[in-house]
Amino acid sequence: MAVVLATDTHLNILDASESHPFAVPIKKINEGVHVSAFLASRAYHDILTFLMQLNGAMFPRHMPDAGEAVARVQIWELDSPHVSYSTTVKRLSQLLDDLDRIIDEVPPDPGPRRFGNASFRKWNEIVESRAPALLQLHLPTDVLSRRSATVASARSELEPYFLGSFGSAQRLDYGTGHELSFLAFLGCIWKLGGFQSTSAGDEERGIVLGVIEPYLRLVRRLIKTYTLEPAGSHGVWGLDDHSFLPYVFGSAQYAPAIHSTYQLPSEGSRTDAPAPADVVKPFTVERERKKNMYFGAIGFIYDVKKGPFWEHSPMLFDISGVTAGWAKINKGMVKMYNAEVLSKFPVVQHFRFGSMFSWEPQPNAVPPPASIHSSSQPSNEDISSSTTSISTPQVHSRETSHSSTPDPSHGSSSKTSIPSHPSAGAHEGNSNSKISIPGLPIEVSKPSTAPGYSQEVSKAPWATQLPAIPVPSLDTTAPWANQPVAELETSSPRGGESTSVTEYQSATAVSEHATAGSMGPPPPSSSSRAS
């Protein structure tokens, strides 16, 4: 989690009277450790500033009327007549309409297939070939004609963000990283003065409802037409397979009315807002998806997934149990976007950095503290070494010692020692040495021969590898963590009968869920579902 906070209320607009050193955006995040540098960069600060700027504009407003003692509350629903759209917003909406019509030109290949439809590559090729003309047609002239201090132009910096917003033609997938690219595309247009900056947030609402919402509709059609795979999805334990922004802006639509974006409420809901728990009611979802972005995203989940909601979307189901209102959910969504999108290597590794979203450090930014999560982020070296190990497996003879056997979890063909607990110190000695764990009164012996593992020559690189010995954490609450390994199959929390490790883990999971204070009730049992 980054320490940098977006204290600025609006994204800065570049001075039109000065030439700008445009640069073609390039990839900078190549390893997990680069994420920490990103979280202290100007790009991260500007992205979060722009997100908060759009989010604050979607909160209902107290609108004072002459002659009325109490100010009326103005809400911002989809297709609302109270939202004004500038010329730039209308032209960007037409740009998205042109992209939507290209889908009609490229129908999906017939026949069933397990993964994405290859016709999406043809759609992407057409968009890429027409992108210069489309941007020239639909973007303001003063944006593209901005003077440059380098050989690059404004269009050459905008185009990669635009083309990276609709999924990967190579992997046939779409995810929050592509959604982030579109947010950066709009942020670049804002920085170049393409939007009208107003203090009342009218332009920001126009961007959300007149550009981002049509963009989401286009993306959903692409996903359904070409069966695009989720990119970097956490499966059922992720918020959504494809999008995140509609949950941020949609929860803001239901929050209490505000007088100013400088102080956003952290609790409460609009008086006529549906309850968060209504996401499991198909009738309410179908009604609200026409007016609200949050329920629009929920409705799309119902379109593409079958089965009980708490099974295929447990994270959203947990959030539906929040009783503090939609403002509380909105606050949590912003934090979650920072943690699950901007701070995750699989998502931001494809983000590109230019002159407007710069890789340079943000002044006075404090680098995020080191954590186990950040230090365990994947790297290109891990991926390349894993690929090398799989393609050219190494055969080990009987004389090969266990300490020189490659670790299959790292996929390296070099000689490595068996990993030990970080706090246990260096592990040396013969094959019968012991691993001491500070703070725990146990010693785990490393046997010379693992039961069930043959030391005969084998083509499989892991055949002579010792099984990994799990080292318990010092602060774990698992009931088996504070007892010797030998007692795992004999002791029992119920007093008498033997209990396996799996049963211990299951009992612990239930206990931890009950004490964690999670958002919302746990999924109902199979008997309750049947009823």
Side-chain angles (χ1 to χ4, degrees):
M1 187 72 62
V3 179
V4 180
L5 296 178
T7 55
D8 301 334
T9 57
H10 287 78
L11 196 61
N12 293 331
I13 299 177
L14 301 177
D15 189 355
S17 63
E18 299 180 359
S19 59
H20 181 74
F22 291 105
V24 177
I26 60 175
K27 179 180 169 68
K28 290 285 190 179
I29 303 177
N30 299 309
E31 297 184 358
V33 294
H34 295 161
V35 176
S36 298
F38 165 64
L39 295 177
S41 68
R42 291 180 180 270
Y44 168 79
H45 177 271
D46 289 345
I47 289 170
L48 207 54
T49 299
F50 193 48
L51 175 67
M52 295 303 297
Q53 179 180 342
L54 300 177
N55 179 59
M58 294 307 298
F59 276 69
R61 285 291 188 103
H62 288 290
M63 308 293 288
D65 279 345
E68 293 187 7
V70 180
R72 63 183 177 89
V73 173
Q74 182 62 62
I75 61 177
W76 322 108
E77 296 180 337
L78 302 181
D79 302 323
S80 172
H82 302 288
V83 179
S84 58
Y85 301 108
S86 65
T87 302
T88 303
V89 170
K90 292 178 181 178
R91 293 173 71 173
L92 287 174
S93 180
Q94 293 171 1
L95 170 62
L96 296 171
D97 289 340
D98 289 346
L99 298 179
D100 188 81
R101 281 189 286 269
I102 298 178
I103 300 178
D104 299 329
E105 301 178 23
V106 189
D109 290 343
R113 51 183 37 82
R114 182 177 178 183
F115 301 107
N117 196 292
S119 290
F120 177 68
R121 295 192 175 102
K122 179 64 175 178
W123 182 91
N124 196 276
E125 290 175 2
I126 295 177
V127 172
E128 188 172 351
S129 64
R130 299 180 186 178
L134 288 172
L135 295 179
Q136 191 71 37
L137 176 63
H138 295 290
L139 290 185
T141 304
D142 55 348
V143 169
L144 297 179
S145 61
R146 180 67 67 92
R147 287 186 303 151
S148 177
T150 61
V151 294
S153 64
R155 196 191 74 189
S156 63
E157 183 159 349
L158 284 167
E159 196 169 308
Y161 292 119
F162 172 71
L163 294 176
S165 303
F166 307 102
S168 171
Q170 178 184 9
R171 299 183 302 273
L172 299 178
D173 62 10
Y174 174 88
T176 51
H178 305 104
E179 184 185 63
L180 174 62
S181 184
F182 189 74
L183 184 66
F185 172 69
L186 297 178
C188 288
I189 299 176
W190 182 279
K191 283 195 166 193
L192 293 173
F195 294 110
Q196 301 173 2
S197 179
T198 60
S199 58
D202 293 336
E203 189 72 349
E204 288 87 342
R205 281 187 288 275
I207 294 173
V208 173
L209 299 177
V211 182
I212 294 181
E213 175 60 22
Y215 162 76
L216 294 172
R217 293 173 184 171
L218 169 63
V219 164
R220 289 163 188 163
R221 189 185 177 197
L222 287 172
I223 294 171
K224 295 178 70 174
T225 302
Y226 302 115
T227 59
L228 299 183
E229 294 290 314
S233 171
H234 294 286
V236 297
W237 299 113
L239 183 74
D240 189 288
D241 281 343
H242 302 101
S243 300
F244 206 111
L245 292 180
Y247 298 100
V248 177
F249 303 138
S251 56
Q253 288 177 283
Y254 286 140
I258 61 175
H259 294 279
S260 171
T261 56
Y262 291 100
Q263 292 183 341
L264 299 180
S266 58
E267 292 184 352
S269 298
R270 216 176 69 199
T271 55
D272 59 340
D278 288 348
V279 296
V280 298
K281 300 177 181 178
F283 177 80
T284 305
V285 172
E286 198 63 29
R287 181 192 68 208
E288 295 296 321
R289 70 185 300 181
K290 302 174 184 177
K291 303 181 292 183
N292 178 266
M293 298 180 70
Y294 191 103
F295 276 84
I298 297 292
F300 181 70
I301 292 178
Y302 278 105
D303 292 340
V304 298
K305 294 186 178 182
K306 306 301 178 184
F309 186 80
W310 51 79
E311 287 188 355
H312 58 64
S313 302
M315 182 71 71
L316 288 167
F317 180 72
D318 282 348
I319 294 173
S320 71
V322 173
T323 59
W326 286 102
K328 182 73 171 180
I329 294 177
N330 178 261
K331 183 179 179 180
M333 286 296 176
V334 172
K335 291 182 178 179
M336 186 181 257
Y337 187 84
N338 183 43
E340 299 299 324
V341 177
L342 299 181
S343 301
K344 287 297 172 33
F345 173 78
V347 178
V348 298
Q349 63 173 324
H350 302 294
F351 189 79
R352 297 178 180 271
F353 299 85
S355 65
M356 288 182 281
F357 285 96
S358 173
W359 180 251
E360 295 179 1
Q362 171 70 14
N364 303 322
V366 180
S371 63
I372 295 178
H373 172 75
S374 61
S375 62
S376 63
Q377 295 267 30
S379 66
N380 285 343
E381 293 182 358
D382 295 335
I383 298 173
S384 60
S385 62
S386 177
T387 305
T388 304
S389 176
I390 294 174
S391 59
T392 57
Q394 199 173 25
V395 179
H396 300 276
S397 63
R398 296 187 187 187
E399 289 77 20
T400 304
S401 64
H402 296 300
S403 61
S404 62
T405 305
D407 185 358
S409 63
H410 291 79
S412 175
S413 59
S414 61
K415 294 183 179 181
T416 55
S417 60
I418 297 177
S420 61
H421 194 274
S423 61
H427 176 60
E428 298 179 354
N430 57 29
S431 58
N432 293 319
S433 60
K434 295 184 179 181
I435 304 174
S436 300
I437 304 178
L440 294 180
I442 64 172
E443 290 184 337
V444 181
S445 298
K446 181 172 71 66
S448 58
T449 303
Y453 278 73
S454 173
Q455 295 190 17
E456 297 295 331
V457 177
S458 171
K459 294 182 179 180
W462 44 261
T464 57
Q465 172 65 34
L466 284 173
I469 302 175
V471 181
S473 174
L474 300 179
D475 57 351
T476 181
T477 57
W480 47 266
N482 296 321
Q483 55 183 315
V485 177
E487 296 181 11
L488 289 178
E489 293 295 336
T490 58
S491 62
S492 169
R494 293 187 289 269
E497 59 184 281
S498 176
T499 306
S500 65
V501 175
T502 303
E503 291 175 307
Y504 269 112
Q505 295 171 338
S506 300
T508 305
V510 174
S511 175
E512 290 176 349
H513 184 86
T515 58
S518 59
M519 301 171 65
S525 62
S526 57
S527 59
S528 62
R529 293 177 195 152
S531 60

